[in-house]
Amino acid sequence: GAGVSQSPSNKVTEKGKDVELRCDPISGHTALYWYRQSLGQGLEFLIYFQGNSAPDKSGLPSDRFSAERTGGSVSTLTIQRTQQEDSAVYLCASSLPAGTHNEKLFFGSGTQLSVL
Amino acid sequence: GDSVTQMEGPVTLSEEAFLTINCTYTATGYPSLFWYVQYPGEGLQLLLKATKADDKGSNKGFEATYRKETTSFHLEKGSVQVSDSAVYFCALSDQLGSSASKIIFGSGTRLSIRP
């Protein structure tokens, strides 16, 4: 497709289970971002990739959260031992190489995660 | 660290009113500044941007000027329409180096326009 694709669009899980969220960026976009949007809240930065490396992981809320990107394309965000406070919309965005003053982010539709 | 602060909503205006949504930032370097918009049921999309001091970004009748002296990037529109109802996010690009940037968003301001 032409846009950023995220799957699943909705995920309901039980507390304590692990979940894996997937993001497929726009072809050719080397920068990839994960954000979290809680109900009524703004966008919380989680992690950013330039190619396959993550220069800044400071936004990950705890060691239960991890992310990887392989082949400079698809990224997965994994949340282990989910808690109710993890419930939110997880947004992925991609952009052309940074540092070119062209940091326009293209967002996916998000994954709505509900932890029961 | 770098941060973005924007006025809390919700903001409710009548159609054709003048709009200002305040945004100020804290940054150690020379960030690029952005306004993103999220219309009901849609994903976030870039509204406008400015990459250096005194630059003015504009789109769809909205404007924002990069003010380095006041570290601000306020969003303005002279005459709002019902279709402008959305959540608006101010953001900055944290230039970590020549090849990387982290984009930080404010908390968002919900705007509702009455017919």
Side-chain angles (χ1 to χ4, degrees):
Chain A
V4 177
S5 178
Q6 290 188 246
S7 61
S9 56
N10 280 285
K11 176 71 176 178
V12 180
T13 189
E14 293 179 349
K15 178 181 172 182
K17 300 284 190 184
D18 298 352
V19 295
E20 191 173 277
L21 312 180
R22 176 188 168 105
C23 174
D24 201 341
I26 293 172
S27 178
H29 281 195
T30 58
L32 186 147
Y33 301 79
W34 284 100
Y35 292 89
R36 179 167 71 174
Q37 187 175 27
S38 302
L39 188 62
Q41 303 297 313
L43 270 70
E44 177 187 3
F45 171 82
L46 298 179
I47 191 170
Y48 154 80
F49 288 92
Q50 176 64 20
N52 291 335
S53 65
D56 191 333
K57 301 180 181 180
S58 64
L60 295 176
S62 74
D63 59 7
R64 295 187 295 106
F65 287 72
S66 63
E68 65 175 15
R69 189 179 186 197
T70 55
S73 181
V74 172
S75 175
T76 54
L77 176 69
T78 301
I79 309 173
Q80 295 178 310
R81 305 181 302 282
T82 52
Q83 303 295 313
Q84 289 183 332
E85 61 262 28
D86 299 335
S87 298
V89 176
Y90 289 80
L91 292 170
C92 176
S94 70
S95 73
L96 289 169
T100 61
H101 289 299
N102 189 30
E103 306 98 328
K104 176 179 178 180
L105 296 186
F106 292 81
F107 280 86
S109 299
T111 294
Q112 173 74 64
L113 175 65
S114 300
V115 182
L116 303 179
Chain B
D2 294 1
S3 65
V4 175
T5 302
Q6 58 183 107
M7 65 188 291
E8 291 190 19
V11 174
T12 303
L13 297 172
S14 297
E15 203 166 22
E16 299 184 2
F18 183 85
L19 168 71
T20 299
I21 300 178
N22 290 338
C23 171
T24 57
Y25 68 90
T26 302
T28 53
Y30 300 93
S32 297
L33 301 174
F34 310 85
W35 278 100
Y36 278 80
V37 59
Q38 187 173 31
Y39 296 105
E42 299 184 17
L44 278 98
Q45 56 188 279
L46 179 67
L47 178 61
L48 55 84
K49 73 175 199 178
T51 58
K52 62 182 187 296
D54 299 326
D55 269 3
K56 178 186 286 187
S58 61
N59 186 24
K60 299 182 179 180
F62 290 89
E63 293 183 340
T65 301
Y66 190 143
R67 301 285 188 199
K68 190 168 183 287
E69 63 275 15
T70 54
T71 61
S72 65
F73 193 55
H74 304 322
L75 182 68
E76 296 182 336
K77 186 173 185 180
S79 176
V80 292
Q81 305 299 314
V82 172
S83 58
D84 295 326
S85 298
V87 182
Y88 292 81
F89 293 89
C90 186
L92 69 78
S93 170
D94 177 349
Q95 295 289 320
L96 298 179
S98 61
S99 61
S101 66
K102 168 182 170 181
I103 299 182
I104 300 166
F105 286 79
S107 57
T109 302
R110 182 175 298 278
L111 173 66
S112 297
I113 306 300
R114 293 188 299 256

PDB file of all heavy atoms in Angstrom, chain B residues 9-46:
ATOM      1  N   GLY B   9      -7.147  22.503  26.009  1.00  0.00           N
ATOM      2  CA  GLY B   9      -8.490  22.674  25.474  1.00  0.00           C
ATOM      3  C   GLY B   9      -9.517  22.196  26.470  1.00  0.00           C
ATOM      4  O   GLY B   9      -9.197  21.995  27.632  1.00  0.00           O
ATOM      5  N   PRO B  10     -10.722  21.992  26.032  1.00  0.00           N
ATOM      6  CA  PRO B  10     -11.118  22.267  24.658  1.00  0.00           C
ATOM      7  C   PRO B  10     -11.333  23.755  24.404  1.00  0.00           C
ATOM      8  O   PRO B  10     -11.604  24.511  25.317  1.00  0.00           O
ATOM      9  CB  PRO B  10     -12.428  21.493  24.514  1.00  0.00           C
ATOM     10  CG  PRO B  10     -12.981  21.438  25.907  1.00  0.00           C
ATOM     11  CD  PRO B  10     -11.808  21.381  26.815  1.00  0.00           C
ATOM     12  N   VAL B  11     -11.164  24.138  23.150  1.00  0.00           N
ATOM     13  CA  VAL B  11     -11.441  25.490  22.705  1.00  0.00           C
ATOM     14  C   VAL B  11     -12.698  25.440  21.843  1.00  0.00           C
ATOM     15  O   VAL B  11     -12.764  24.662  20.898  1.00  0.00           O
ATOM     16  CB  VAL B  11     -10.266  26.064  21.892  1.00  0.00           C
ATOM     17  CG1 VAL B  11     -10.630  27.419  21.305  1.00  0.00           C
ATOM     18  CG2 VAL B  11      -9.009  26.150  22.754  1.00  0.00           C
ATOM     19  N   THR B  12     -13.686  26.242  22.196  1.00  0.00           N
ATOM     20  CA  THR B  12     -14.938  26.279  21.437  1.00  0.00           C
ATOM     21  C   THR B  12     -15.144  27.688  20.898  1.00  0.00           C
ATOM     22  O   THR B  12     -15.114  28.652  21.666  1.00  0.00           O
ATOM     23  CB  THR B  12     -16.132  25.866  22.308  1.00  0.00           C
ATOM     24  OG1 THR B  12     -15.894  24.559  22.839  1.00  0.00           O
ATOM     25  CG2 THR B  12     -17.415  25.849  21.484  1.00  0.00           C
ATOM     26  N   LEU B  13     -15.332  27.787  19.589  1.00  0.00           N
ATOM     27  CA  LEU B  13     -15.526  29.076  18.936  1.00  0.00           C
ATOM     28  C   LEU B  13     -16.721  29.008  17.996  1.00  0.00           C
ATOM     29  O   LEU B  13     -17.112  27.917  17.556  1.00  0.00           O
ATOM     30  CB  LEU B  13     -14.285  29.459  18.124  1.00  0.00           C
ATOM     31  CG  LEU B  13     -12.979  29.673  18.882  1.00  0.00           C
ATOM     32  CD1 LEU B  13     -11.831  29.855  17.896  1.00  0.00           C
ATOM     33  CD2 LEU B  13     -13.092  30.878  19.789  1.00  0.00           C
ATOM     34  N   SER B  14     -17.229  30.179  17.652  1.00  0.00           N
ATOM     35  CA  SER B  14     -18.267  30.257  16.626  1.00  0.00           C
ATOM     36  C   SER B  14     -17.630  30.352  15.253  1.00  0.00           C
ATOM     37  O   SER B  14     -16.476  30.815  15.123  1.00  0.00           O
ATOM     38  CB  SER B  14     -19.161  31.472  16.866  1.00  0.00           C
ATOM     39  OG  SER B  14     -19.843  31.355  18.096  1.00  0.00           O
ATOM     40  N   GLU B  15     -18.356  29.906  14.261  1.00  0.00           N
ATOM     41  CA  GLU B  15     -17.847  29.981  12.887  1.00  0.00           C
ATOM     42  C   GLU B  15     -17.483  31.425  12.559  1.00  0.00           C
ATOM     43  O   GLU B  15     -18.144  32.366  12.988  1.00  0.00           O
ATOM     44  CB  GLU B  15     -18.916  29.469  11.925  1.00  0.00           C
ATOM     45  CG  GLU B  15     -18.377  28.979  10.597  1.00  0.00           C
ATOM     46  CD  GLU B  15     -19.407  28.170   9.818  1.00  0.00           C
ATOM     47  OE1 GLU B  15     -20.619  28.323  10.071  1.00  0.00           O
ATOM     48  OE2 GLU B  15     -18.986  27.376   8.965  1.00  0.00           O
ATOM     49  N   GLU B  16     -16.386  31.595  11.814  1.00  0.00           N
ATOM     50  CA  GLU B  16     -15.831  32.878  11.374  1.00  0.00           C
ATOM     51  C   GLU B  16     -15.084  33.621  12.473  1.00  0.00           C
ATOM     52  O   GLU B  16     -14.593  34.733  12.228  1.00  0.00           O
ATOM     53  CB  GLU B  16     -16.916  33.776  10.763  1.00  0.00           C
ATOM     54  CG  GLU B  16     -17.569  33.151   9.521  1.00  0.00           C
ATOM     55  CD  GLU B  16     -18.577  34.078   8.871  1.00  0.00           C
ATOM     56  OE1 GLU B  16     -18.750  35.210   9.334  1.00  0.00           O
ATOM     57  OE2 GLU B  16     -19.199  33.650   7.877  1.00  0.00           O
ATOM     58  N   ALA B  17     -14.955  33.045  13.644  1.00  0.00           N
ATOM     59  CA  ALA B  17     -14.164  33.681  14.699  1.00  0.00           C
ATOM     60  C   ALA B  17     -12.676  33.556  14.396  1.00  0.00           C
ATOM     61  O   ALA B  17     -12.242  32.734  13.582  1.00  0.00           O
ATOM     62  CB  ALA B  17     -14.479  33.035  16.051  1.00  0.00           C
ATOM     63  N   PHE B  18     -11.880  34.397  15.094  1.00  0.00           N
ATOM     64  CA  PHE B  18     -10.424  34.351  14.979  1.00  0.00           C
ATOM     65  C   PHE B  18      -9.879  33.315  15.969  1.00  0.00           C
ATOM     66  O   PHE B  18     -10.316  33.252  17.110  1.00  0.00           O
ATOM     67  CB  PHE B  18      -9.819  35.723  15.299  1.00  0.00           C
ATOM     68  CG  PHE B  18      -8.327  35.778  15.130  1.00  0.00           C
ATOM     69  CD1 PHE B  18      -7.769  36.033  13.892  1.00  0.00           C
ATOM     70  CD2 PHE B  18      -7.474  35.565  16.215  1.00  0.00           C
ATOM     71  CE1 PHE B  18      -6.388  36.084  13.715  1.00  0.00           C
ATOM     72  CE2 PHE B  18      -6.089  35.612  16.054  1.00  0.00           C
ATOM     73  CZ  PHE B  18      -5.555  35.875  14.812  1.00  0.00           C
ATOM     74  N   LEU B  19      -8.920  32.525  15.481  1.00  0.00           N
ATOM     75  CA  LEU B  19      -8.374  31.450  16.301  1.00  0.00           C
ATOM     76  C   LEU B  19      -6.903  31.695  16.619  1.00  0.00           C
ATOM     77  O   LEU B  19      -6.119  32.052  15.738  1.00  0.00           O
ATOM     78  CB  LEU B  19      -8.488  30.110  15.569  1.00  0.00           C
ATOM     79  CG  LEU B  19      -7.706  28.932  16.170  1.00  0.00           C
ATOM     80  CD1 LEU B  19      -8.348  28.483  17.477  1.00  0.00           C
ATOM     81  CD2 LEU B  19      -7.600  27.782  15.190  1.00  0.00           C
ATOM     82  N   THR B  20      -6.544  31.486  17.886  1.00  0.00           N
ATOM     83  CA  THR B  20      -5.137  31.384  18.278  1.00  0.00           C
ATOM     84  C   THR B  20      -5.003  30.187  19.203  1.00  0.00           C
ATOM     85  O   THR B  20      -5.755  30.077  20.181  1.00  0.00           O
ATOM     86  CB  THR B  20      -4.642  32.630  19.026  1.00  0.00           C
ATOM     87  OG1 THR B  20      -4.757  33.769  18.182  1.00  0.00           O
ATOM     88  CG2 THR B  20      -3.184  32.458  19.438  1.00  0.00           C
ATOM     89  N   ILE B  21      -4.071  29.306  18.898  1.00  0.00           N
ATOM     90  CA  ILE B  21      -3.699  28.219  19.806  1.00  0.00           C
ATOM     91  C   ILE B  21      -2.228  28.419  20.130  1.00  0.00           C
ATOM     92  O   ILE B  21      -1.374  28.372  19.250  1.00  0.00           O
ATOM     93  CB  ILE B  21      -3.925  26.824  19.195  1.00  0.00           C
ATOM     94  CG1 ILE B  21      -5.395  26.619  18.838  1.00  0.00           C
ATOM     95  CG2 ILE B  21      -3.481  25.745  20.191  1.00  0.00           C
ATOM     96  CD1 ILE B  21      -5.697  25.280  18.183  1.00  0.00           C
ATOM     97  N   ASN B  22      -1.950  28.660  21.414  1.00  0.00           N
ATOM     98  CA  ASN B  22      -0.578  28.964  21.825  1.00  0.00           C
ATOM     99  C   ASN B  22       0.283  27.716  21.930  1.00  0.00           C
ATOM    100  O   ASN B  22      -0.174  26.662  22.376  1.00  0.00           O
ATOM    101  CB  ASN B  22      -0.581  29.688  23.174  1.00  0.00           C
ATOM    102  CG  ASN B  22      -1.134  31.097  23.068  1.00  0.00           C
ATOM    103  OD1 ASN B  22      -1.146  31.692  21.996  1.00  0.00           O
ATOM    104  ND2 ASN B  22      -1.623  31.626  24.173  1.00  0.00           N
ATOM    105  N   CYS B  23       1.540  27.876  21.544  1.00  0.00           N
ATOM    106  CA  CYS B  23       2.524  26.802  21.665  1.00  0.00           C
ATOM    107  C   CYS B  23       3.872  27.428  21.987  1.00  0.00           C
ATOM    108  O   CYS B  23       4.310  28.354  21.299  1.00  0.00           O
ATOM    109  CB  CYS B  23       2.618  26.005  20.371  1.00  0.00           C
ATOM    110  SG  CYS B  23       3.985  24.810  20.338  1.00  0.00           S
ATOM    111  N   THR B  24       4.521  26.947  23.029  1.00  0.00           N
ATOM    112  CA  THR B  24       5.879  27.351  23.333  1.00  0.00           C
ATOM    113  C   THR B  24       6.743  26.103  23.448  1.00  0.00           C
ATOM    114  O   THR B  24       6.246  25.008  23.699  1.00  0.00           O
ATOM    115  CB  THR B  24       5.972  28.150  24.638  1.00  0.00           C
ATOM    116  OG1 THR B  24       5.430  27.363  25.703  1.00  0.00           O
ATOM    117  CG2 THR B  24       5.216  29.462  24.539  1.00  0.00           C
ATOM    118  N   TYR B  25       8.035  26.279  23.267  1.00  0.00           N
ATOM    119  CA  TYR B  25       8.916  25.123  23.268  1.00  0.00           C
ATOM    120  C   TYR B  25      10.173  25.393  24.074  1.00  0.00           C
ATOM    121  O   TYR B  25      10.554  26.533  24.321  1.00  0.00           O
ATOM    122  CB  TYR B  25       9.276  24.722  21.825  1.00  0.00           C
ATOM    123  CG  TYR B  25      10.147  25.726  21.114  1.00  0.00           C
ATOM    124  CD1 TYR B  25      11.535  25.653  21.162  1.00  0.00           C
ATOM    125  CD2 TYR B  25       9.577  26.771  20.385  1.00  0.00           C
ATOM    126  CE1 TYR B  25      12.330  26.587  20.518  1.00  0.00           C
ATOM    127  CE2 TYR B  25      10.364  27.704  19.739  1.00  0.00           C
ATOM    128  CZ  TYR B  25      11.730  27.618  19.813  1.00  0.00           C
ATOM    129  OH  TYR B  25      12.512  28.547  19.173  1.00  0.00           O
ATOM    130  N   THR B  26      10.821  24.323  24.465  1.00  0.00           N
ATOM    131  CA  THR B  26      12.142  24.362  25.087  1.00  0.00           C
ATOM    132  C   THR B  26      13.033  23.443  24.287  1.00  0.00           C
ATOM    133  O   THR B  26      12.691  22.269  24.073  1.00  0.00           O
ATOM    134  CB  THR B  26      12.075  23.869  26.549  1.00  0.00           C
ATOM    135  OG1 THR B  26      11.161  24.676  27.277  1.00  0.00           O
ATOM    136  CG2 THR B  26      13.443  23.939  27.207  1.00  0.00           C
ATOM    137  N   ALA B  27      14.150  23.981  23.824  1.00  0.00           N
ATOM    138  CA  ALA B  27      15.067  23.164  23.020  1.00  0.00           C
ATOM    139  C   ALA B  27      16.478  23.690  23.194  1.00  0.00           C
ATOM    140  O   ALA B  27      16.700  24.893  23.305  1.00  0.00           O
ATOM    141  CB  ALA B  27      14.662  23.202  21.550  1.00  0.00           C
ATOM    142  N   THR B  28      17.442  22.790  23.189  1.00  0.00           N
ATOM    143  CA  THR B  28      18.838  23.186  23.337  1.00  0.00           C
ATOM    144  C   THR B  28      19.456  23.577  22.000  1.00  0.00           C
ATOM    145  O   THR B  28      20.399  24.320  21.956  1.00  0.00           O
ATOM    146  CB  THR B  28      19.661  22.053  23.961  1.00  0.00           C
ATOM    147  OG1 THR B  28      19.451  20.855  23.200  1.00  0.00           O
ATOM    148  CG2 THR B  28      19.216  21.804  25.395  1.00  0.00           C
ATOM    149  N   GLY B  29      18.918  23.063  20.921  1.00  0.00           N
ATOM    150  CA  GLY B  29      19.482  23.341  19.605  1.00  0.00           C
ATOM    151  C   GLY B  29      18.592  24.258  18.807  1.00  0.00           C
ATOM    152  O   GLY B  29      18.003  25.196  19.333  1.00  0.00           O
ATOM    153  N   TYR B  30      18.519  23.963  17.514  1.00  0.00           N
ATOM    154  CA  TYR B  30      17.721  24.785  16.594  1.00  0.00           C
ATOM    155  C   TYR B  30      16.703  23.871  15.916  1.00  0.00           C
ATOM    156  O   TYR B  30      16.915  23.410  14.798  1.00  0.00           O
ATOM    157  CB  TYR B  30      18.639  25.451  15.572  1.00  0.00           C
ATOM    158  CG  TYR B  30      19.662  26.342  16.245  1.00  0.00           C
ATOM    159  CD1 TYR B  30      20.923  25.864  16.578  1.00  0.00           C
ATOM    160  CD2 TYR B  30      19.340  27.652  16.572  1.00  0.00           C
ATOM    161  CE1 TYR B  30      21.847  26.680  17.209  1.00  0.00           C
ATOM    162  CE2 TYR B  30      20.251  28.480  17.202  1.00  0.00           C
ATOM    163  CZ  TYR B  30      21.508  27.983  17.522  1.00  0.00           C
ATOM    164  OH  TYR B  30      22.421  28.787  18.149  1.00  0.00           O
ATOM    165  N   PRO B  31      15.593  23.627  16.603  1.00  0.00           N
ATOM    166  CA  PRO B  31      14.637  22.650  16.084  1.00  0.00           C
ATOM    167  C   PRO B  31      13.826  23.179  14.913  1.00  0.00           C
ATOM    168  O   PRO B  31      13.716  24.389  14.709  1.00  0.00           O
ATOM    169  CB  PRO B  31      13.719  22.399  17.285  1.00  0.00           C
ATOM    170  CG  PRO B  31      13.729  23.697  18.027  1.00  0.00           C
ATOM    171  CD  PRO B  31      15.135  24.229  17.871  1.00  0.00           C
ATOM    172  N   SER B  32      13.255  22.262  14.147  1.00  0.00           N
ATOM    173  CA  SER B  32      12.163  22.587  13.247  1.00  0.00           C
ATOM    174  C   SER B  32      10.869  22.476  14.060  1.00  0.00           C
ATOM    175  O   SER B  32      10.781  21.701  15.007  1.00  0.00           O
ATOM    176  CB  SER B  32      12.113  21.612  12.069  1.00  0.00           C
ATOM    177  OG  SER B  32      13.279  21.708  11.291  1.00  0.00           O
ATOM    178  N   LEU B  33       9.874  23.270  13.673  1.00  0.00           N
ATOM    179  CA  LEU B  33       8.607  23.299  14.410  1.00  0.00           C
ATOM    180  C   LEU B  33       7.457  22.929  13.489  1.00  0.00           C
ATOM    181  O   LEU B  33       7.491  23.261  12.292  1.00  0.00           O
ATOM    182  CB  LEU B  33       8.383  24.692  15.019  1.00  0.00           C
ATOM    183  CG  LEU B  33       9.458  25.168  15.988  1.00  0.00           C
ATOM    184  CD1 LEU B  33       9.203  26.616  16.399  1.00  0.00           C
ATOM    185  CD2 LEU B  33       9.526  24.268  17.215  1.00  0.00           C
ATOM    186  N   PHE B  34       6.459  22.271  14.050  1.00  0.00           N
ATOM    187  CA  PHE B  34       5.358  21.737  13.258  1.00  0.00           C
ATOM    188  C   PHE B  34       4.025  21.929  13.970  1.00  0.00           C
ATOM    189  O   PHE B  34       3.966  21.984  15.199  1.00  0.00           O
ATOM    190  CB  PHE B  34       5.533  20.223  13.039  1.00  0.00           C
ATOM    191  CG  PHE B  34       6.878  19.803  12.529  1.00  0.00           C
ATOM    192  CD1 PHE B  34       7.935  19.596  13.400  1.00  0.00           C
ATOM    193  CD2 PHE B  34       7.091  19.607  11.174  1.00  0.00           C
ATOM    194  CE1 PHE B  34       9.182  19.208  12.937  1.00  0.00           C
ATOM    195  CE2 PHE B  34       8.337  19.213  10.699  1.00  0.00           C
ATOM    196  CZ  PHE B  34       9.376  19.013  11.586  1.00  0.00           C
ATOM    197  N   TRP B  35       2.972  21.969  13.184  1.00  0.00           N
ATOM    198  CA  TRP B  35       1.615  21.757  13.674  1.00  0.00           C
ATOM    199  C   TRP B  35       1.031  20.576  12.904  1.00  0.00           C
ATOM    200  O   TRP B  35       1.053  20.551  11.664  1.00  0.00           O
ATOM    201  CB  TRP B  35       0.728  22.982  13.475  1.00  0.00           C
ATOM    202  CG  TRP B  35       0.903  24.007  14.550  1.00  0.00           C
ATOM    203  CD1 TRP B  35       1.645  25.143  14.499  1.00  0.00           C
ATOM    204  CD2 TRP B  35       0.297  24.000  15.851  1.00  0.00           C
ATOM    205  NE1 TRP B  35       1.562  25.826  15.678  1.00  0.00           N
ATOM    206  CE2 TRP B  35       0.734  25.151  16.534  1.00  0.00           C
ATOM    207  CE3 TRP B  35      -0.581  23.125  16.507  1.00  0.00           C
ATOM    208  CZ2 TRP B  35       0.331  25.459  17.826  1.00  0.00           C
ATOM    209  CZ3 TRP B  35      -0.976  23.421  17.790  1.00  0.00           C
ATOM    210  CH2 TRP B  35      -0.533  24.577  18.443  1.00  0.00           C
ATOM    211  N   TYR B  36       0.543  19.590  13.675  1.00  0.00           N
ATOM    212  CA  TYR B  36      -0.168  18.450  13.114  1.00  0.00           C
ATOM    213  C   TYR B  36      -1.637  18.550  13.515  1.00  0.00           C
ATOM    214  O   TYR B  36      -1.979  19.122  14.558  1.00  0.00           O
ATOM    215  CB  TYR B  36       0.412  17.131  13.635  1.00  0.00           C
ATOM    216  CG  TYR B  36       1.647  16.678  12.898  1.00  0.00           C
ATOM    217  CD1 TYR B  36       2.889  17.232  13.183  1.00  0.00           C
ATOM    218  CD2 TYR B  36       1.577  15.697  11.910  1.00  0.00           C
ATOM    219  CE1 TYR B  36       4.027  16.820  12.498  1.00  0.00           C
ATOM    220  CE2 TYR B  36       2.702  15.274  11.225  1.00  0.00           C
ATOM    221  CZ  TYR B  36       3.921  15.849  11.527  1.00  0.00           C
ATOM    222  OH  TYR B  36       5.048  15.439  10.847  1.00  0.00           O
ATOM    223  N   VAL B  37      -2.515  17.957  12.705  1.00  0.00           N
ATOM    224  CA  VAL B  37      -3.942  17.995  12.978  1.00  0.00           C
ATOM    225  C   VAL B  37      -4.512  16.582  12.883  1.00  0.00           C
ATOM    226  O   VAL B  37      -4.082  15.779  12.047  1.00  0.00           O
ATOM    227  CB  VAL B  37      -4.671  18.960  12.014  1.00  0.00           C
ATOM    228  CG1 VAL B  37      -4.481  18.577  10.558  1.00  0.00           C
ATOM    229  CG2 VAL B  37      -6.154  19.061  12.367  1.00  0.00           C
ATOM    230  N   GLN B  38      -5.448  16.309  13.771  1.00  0.00           N
ATOM    231  CA  GLN B  38      -6.132  15.004  13.769  1.00  0.00           C
ATOM    232  C   GLN B  38      -7.629  15.270  13.680  1.00  0.00           C
ATOM    233  O   GLN B  38      -8.270  15.640  14.669  1.00  0.00           O
ATOM    234  CB  GLN B  38      -5.782  14.225  15.033  1.00  0.00           C
ATOM    235  CG  GLN B  38      -6.295  12.804  15.050  1.00  0.00           C
ATOM    236  CD  GLN B  38      -5.773  12.030  16.265  1.00  0.00           C
ATOM    237  OE1 GLN B  38      -5.534  12.594  17.327  1.00  0.00           O
ATOM    238  NE2 GLN B  38      -5.603  10.731  16.119  1.00  0.00           N
ATOM    239  N   TYR B  39      -8.192  15.099  12.482  1.00  0.00           N
ATOM    240  CA  TYR B  39      -9.627  15.269  12.298  1.00  0.00           C
ATOM    241  C   TYR B  39     -10.363  14.052  12.856  1.00  0.00           C
ATOM    242  O   TYR B  39      -9.787  12.969  12.941  1.00  0.00           O
ATOM    243  CB  TYR B  39      -9.958  15.464  10.811  1.00  0.00           C
ATOM    244  CG  TYR B  39      -9.367  16.719  10.219  1.00  0.00           C
ATOM    245  CD1 TYR B  39      -8.260  16.661   9.380  1.00  0.00           C
ATOM    246  CD2 TYR B  39      -9.903  17.965  10.518  1.00  0.00           C
ATOM    247  CE1 TYR B  39      -7.706  17.819   8.842  1.00  0.00           C
ATOM    248  CE2 TYR B  39      -9.354  19.128   9.990  1.00  0.00           C
ATOM    249  CZ  TYR B  39      -8.250  19.042   9.165  1.00  0.00           C
ATOM    250  OH  TYR B  39      -7.700  20.183   8.647  1.00  0.00           O
ATOM    251  N   PRO B  40     -11.612  14.214  13.234  1.00  0.00           N
ATOM    252  CA  PRO B  40     -12.375  13.103  13.823  1.00  0.00           C
ATOM    253  C   PRO B  40     -12.325  11.859  12.947  1.00  0.00           C
ATOM    254  O   PRO B  40     -12.632  11.916  11.752  1.00  0.00           O
ATOM    255  CB  PRO B  40     -13.792  13.667  13.932  1.00  0.00           C
ATOM    256  CG  PRO B  40     -13.602  15.149  14.026  1.00  0.00           C
ATOM    257  CD  PRO B  40     -12.410  15.456  13.179  1.00  0.00           C
ATOM    258  N   GLY B  41     -11.924  10.743  13.545  1.00  0.00           N
ATOM    259  CA  GLY B  41     -11.894   9.475  12.830  1.00  0.00           C
ATOM    260  C   GLY B  41     -10.753   9.317  11.851  1.00  0.00           C
ATOM    261  O   GLY B  41     -10.704   8.318  11.116  1.00  0.00           O
ATOM    262  N   GLU B  42      -9.827  10.265  11.836  1.00  0.00           N
ATOM    263  CA  GLU B  42      -8.710  10.188  10.898  1.00  0.00           C
ATOM    264  C   GLU B  42      -7.370  10.166  11.634  1.00  0.00           C
ATOM    265  O   GLU B  42      -7.297  10.441  12.825  1.00  0.00           O
ATOM    266  CB  GLU B  42      -8.733  11.374   9.936  1.00  0.00           C
ATOM    267  CG  GLU B  42      -9.986  11.442   9.079  1.00  0.00           C
ATOM    268  CD  GLU B  42      -9.923  12.568   8.064  1.00  0.00           C
ATOM    269  OE1 GLU B  42      -8.818  13.097   7.797  1.00  0.00           O
ATOM    270  OE2 GLU B  42     -10.993  12.933   7.528  1.00  0.00           O
ATOM    271  N   GLY B  43      -6.312   9.827  10.915  1.00  0.00           N
ATOM    272  CA  GLY B  43      -4.983   9.828  11.500  1.00  0.00           C
ATOM    273  C   GLY B  43      -4.372  11.213  11.511  1.00  0.00           C
ATOM    274  O   GLY B  43      -4.872  12.140  10.873  1.00  0.00           O
ATOM    275  N   LEU B  44      -3.284  11.353  12.235  1.00  0.00           N
ATOM    276  CA  LEU B  44      -2.593  12.645  12.289  1.00  0.00           C
ATOM    277  C   LEU B  44      -1.983  12.970  10.941  1.00  0.00           C
ATOM    278  O   LEU B  44      -1.469  12.087  10.238  1.00  0.00           O
ATOM    279  CB  LEU B  44      -1.463  12.611  13.320  1.00  0.00           C
ATOM    280  CG  LEU B  44      -1.862  12.832  14.748  1.00  0.00           C
ATOM    281  CD1 LEU B  44      -2.005  11.505  15.439  1.00  0.00           C
ATOM    282  CD2 LEU B  44      -0.819  13.671  15.457  1.00  0.00           C
ATOM    283  N   GLN B  45      -2.009  14.238  10.608  1.00  0.00           N
ATOM    284  CA  GLN B  45      -1.383  14.682   9.366  1.00  0.00           C
ATOM    285  C   GLN B  45      -0.749  16.049   9.582  1.00  0.00           C
ATOM    286  O   GLN B  45      -1.226  16.842  10.394  1.00  0.00           O
ATOM    287  CB  GLN B  45      -2.414  14.732   8.237  1.00  0.00           C
ATOM    288  CG  GLN B  45      -3.625  15.581   8.514  1.00  0.00           C
ATOM    289  CD  GLN B  45      -4.682  15.435   7.428  1.00  0.00           C
ATOM    290  OE1 GLN B  45      -4.584  16.050   6.375  1.00  0.00           O
ATOM    291  NE2 GLN B  45      -5.675  14.606   7.690  1.00  0.00           N
ATOM    292  N   LEU B  46       0.318  16.283   8.836  1.00  0.00           N
ATOM    293  CA  LEU B  46       1.023  17.549   8.956  1.00  0.00           C
ATOM    294  C   LEU B  46       0.158  18.682   8.433  1.00  0.00           C
ATOM    295  O   LEU B  46      -0.401  18.600   7.334  1.00  0.00           O
ATOM    296  CB  LEU B  46       2.328  17.487   8.170  1.00  0.00           C
ATOM    297  CG  LEU B  46       3.183  18.745   8.182  1.00  0.00           C
ATOM    298  CD1 LEU B  46       3.723  19.015   9.583  1.00  0.00           C
ATOM    299  CD2 LEU B  46       4.335  18.619   7.183  1.00  0.00           C
TER     300      LEU B  46
END
